[in-house]
Amino acid sequence: MVLEVKNLSKSFGGLKVVDQLSFSVARGERLALIGPNGAGKTTVFNLITGVYAPDGGAIVLEGNDITRLPSRLRIRRGLARTFQNIRLMPHLTVLENVMIAQYARSPGVAALLQPVGFGRANRWRTEARAALAEAGLESYAGQMAGGLPYGIQKRIELVRALAAAPRVLLLDEPAAGLNPAETEALHPALEAIAARGVTLVVVEHDMQFVGRLCQRVVVLNFGVKIAECPVADIHGDRRVREAYLGTDELAA
Ligand SMILES: Nc1ncnc2c1ncn2[C@@H]1O[C@H](COP(=O)(O)OP(=O)(O)OP(=O)(O)O)[C@@H](O)[C@H]1O
Ligand SMILES: [Mg+2]
């Protein structure tokens, strides 16, 4: 297993947001983590990436317990994510945004305190340009990130996450806010990432998107895992249908 979540729990002010959650992800798998709004999906990502410390349980990445490891060291161990709310620096160029992500993955806090040598900056610039070209975003390199269409910003976020050369990539609502054409374009982009051997864990409300991308689903409701099954079986589960009652997210 490339990633294991074991009995993970987290409360905020007495409210149990993640409750004894366990699941694991095999290398090369694409797992969806779904559930109604407020189910705790983003919190699970925040626990896995070290934004929050869990109240209990453990996170194991490639056989190593990373539960108490600082975020930046988890990135260096091969874990990356995108955010539900875009986190680009709006007043920097697209190229600079990607370069910052490369800077963040460079070894040691000491590196952050040292002036960046010309050699290193040039190498990052070249790598960042190549990464943007690979994603078909080269023409945006010199533009301010903040002024670009939402769909483009989300693709830049993906390039930033890949700058850490992850083996496990957590995607928090990659299709949210995208128009149908942008959503369609996301599929080959994610397929290409998966083809490199990157394991994907995807939080997403768009079930059509999930059905096409993922093989397996873990369903959360009020922080509790209520189902875990092949993606094709999701509509047949009574507890899952009940959890989504009143929403149209599971509409076939
Ligand atoms: N830092 C925090 N402080 C207090 N409560 C929080 C915090 N983060 C999340 N919560 C609460 O935890 C619950 C789960 O939130 P979370 O963002 O994980 O849900 P989600 O499944 O990602 O929902 P959505 O589909 O709307 O993104 C919510 O009730 C939320 O208000
Ligand atoms: Mg969320």
Side-chain angles (χ1 to χ4, degrees), residues 6-26:
K6 298 177 175 175
N7 297 316
L8 209 58
S9 291
K10 181 71 182 173
S11 296
F12 290 116
L15 178 71
K16 239 187 181 165
V17 170
V18 178
D19 194 356
Q20 295 281 319
L21 176 68
S22 297
F23 65 87
S24 42
V25 195

Side-chain angles (χ1 to χ4, degrees), residues 158-201:
L158 200 54
V159 173
R160 272 174 58 93
L162 291 172
R167 289 185 296 280
V168 179
L169 178 58
L170 313 179
L171 302 167
D172 199 346
E173 306 205 13
L178 299 188
N179 66 35
E182 289 167 340
T183 306
E184 190 57 39
L186 191 55
H187 278 287
L190 295 181
E191 291 293 340
I193 292 166
R196 286 192 220 161
V198 178
T199 303
L200 300 178
V201 184

